Amino acid sequence: MSQLTDLATKLDALGHPIRLKIIATLVQNQQQMYLNEIAIKIGVSRALAKIHLKKLEKAAIVKSHIVTAEGEAKALRYYELLPFDIHVSPQMLRMEVEKNGQ
Amino acid sequence: MSQLTDLATKLDALGHPIRLKIIATLVQNQQQMYLNEIAIKIGVSRALAKIHLKKLEKAAIVKSHIVTAEGEAKALRYYELLPFDIHVSPQMLRMEVEKNGQ
DNA sequence: ATTACATGTAATCAAATGATTACATATATA
DNA sequence: TATATATGTAATCATTTGATTACATGTAAT
């Protein structure tokens, strides 16, 4: 995948209010959160939170893993934020595109 | 429209390789370009370029106006880039969401 | 065992998106 | 007039996306 496509994927993943809220919630809590916590915190259904988290995970903005904690009803999937710092401006895009040849 | 929604709209508009190329092309050429120039330059059909430009225009990343030049077959729609400088990181999103209340 | 509660995911569906094809208009030239 | 060329947009269609509902599993308490 080209640099440009990768950038587009990340920007696309970030381009939705719910997903921005999910990210903000994950930063606020520092530690990892599981699906239901996230859903409740931002006020959407688990199913919907899952869908948006899936898109974030595909774009490598979050990652997840299952944790089997004792005393818990079942294994939980924990999500954590991967660090990112995206900067987009016309000049920066010009350089990016020229790098990839035409 | 909230700050967060506005940011999401811009990020969503930027989240496609063709649209990133369109922007890069507009920067390269400095001056305004009309639809067909853009389409040829990045190697897509006029119709497709138009669709992507429409999305960029809705997000206020480009703007356009029609110019009636002499010697031309017909009035041409010129596109120009609006300045933007978007910076996204977890910390920045946290602040943005907290501003908008929960 | 059954009831209650909590979790994760699959199935489904309407709406938006990406892309192609075709159409309508306009000028210049044969 | 017709032919060629160039432009802008509308119509169409398959795919993806956003969102809801329902299902399956698992533990704890009755």
Side-chain angles (χ1 to χ4, degrees), chain A residues 35-36 46 50 76-77:
Chain A
L35 183 58
N36 223 47
R46 267 171 299 131
K50 170 90 179 189
L76 304 178
R77 179 170 295 276

Side-chain angles (χ1 to χ4, degrees), chain B residues 4-91:
Chain B
L4 199 72
T5 307
D6 186 59
L7 176 61
T9 301
K10 278 201 160 53
L11 289 171
D12 184 50
L14 291 170
H16 193 287
I18 289 182
R19 294 197 287 271
L20 293 182
K21 278 185 198 166
I22 288 176
I23 296 168
T25 302
L26 283 168
V27 199
Q28 275 183 326
N29 280 55
Q30 301 283 357
Q31 73 241 9
Q32 305 171 341
M33 297 175 77
Y34 55 91
L35 183 57
N36 223 48
E37 278 186 304
I38 296 172
I40 290 171
K41 192 67 178 286
I42 67 175
V44 300
S45 71
R46 269 171 298 130
L48 185 55
K50 171 88 179 189
I51 286 171
H52 286 293
L53 280 162
K54 195 172 172 185
K55 185 146 192 175
L56 287 172
E57 196 162 15
K58 268 192 190 168
I61 289 171
V62 305
K63 71 171 181 180
S64 75
H65 63 278
I66 289 179
V67 175
T68 317
E70 55 253 79
E72 282 297 334
K74 64 185 307 189
L76 304 177
R77 178 171 296 276
Y78 272 93
Y79 288 91
E80 73 179 287
L81 207 52
L82 294 173
F84 66 91
D85 194 17
I86 295 173
H87 194 214
V88 212
S89 70
Q91 292 306 329

Side-chain angles (χ1 to χ4, degrees), chain A:
Chain A
M1 185 154 61
S2 83
Q3 291 263 38
L4 198 72
T5 307
D6 186 59
L7 176 61
T9 301
K10 277 202 161 52
L11 290 171
D12 184 49
L14 292 170
H16 193 286
I18 290 182
R19 293 196 288 271
L20 292 182
K21 278 185 199 167
I22 288 176
I23 295 169
T25 301
L26 283 168
V27 199
Q28 275 183 325
N29 279 56
Q30 299 284 355
Q31 73 242 9
Q32 305 171 342
M33 297 175 79
Y34 54 90
L35 183 58
N36 223 47
E37 278 187 303
I38 297 172
I40 290 169
K41 192 66 178 286
I42 66 175
V44 300
S45 71
R46 267 171 299 131
L48 185 54
K50 170 90 179 189
I51 287 171
H52 286 293
L53 280 162
K54 195 172 173 184
K55 185 146 193 174
L56 287 172
E57 195 162 16
K58 267 192 190 168
I61 289 172
V62 306
K63 71 172 181 180
S64 75
H65 63 278
I66 289 179
V67 175
T68 316
E70 56 252 78
E72 281 297 334
K74 65 185 306 189
L76 304 178
R77 179 170 295 276
Y78 272 93
Y79 288 91
E80 73 181 286
L81 206 52
L82 294 173
F84 67 90
D85 194 17
I86 295 174
H87 194 212
V88 213
S89 70
Q91 293 304 329
M92 171 266 155
L93 285 176
R94 179 183 178 174
M95 292 190 297
E96 203 62 45
V97 168
E98 282 170 1
K99 253 195 294 182
N100 286 289
Q102 49 277 26

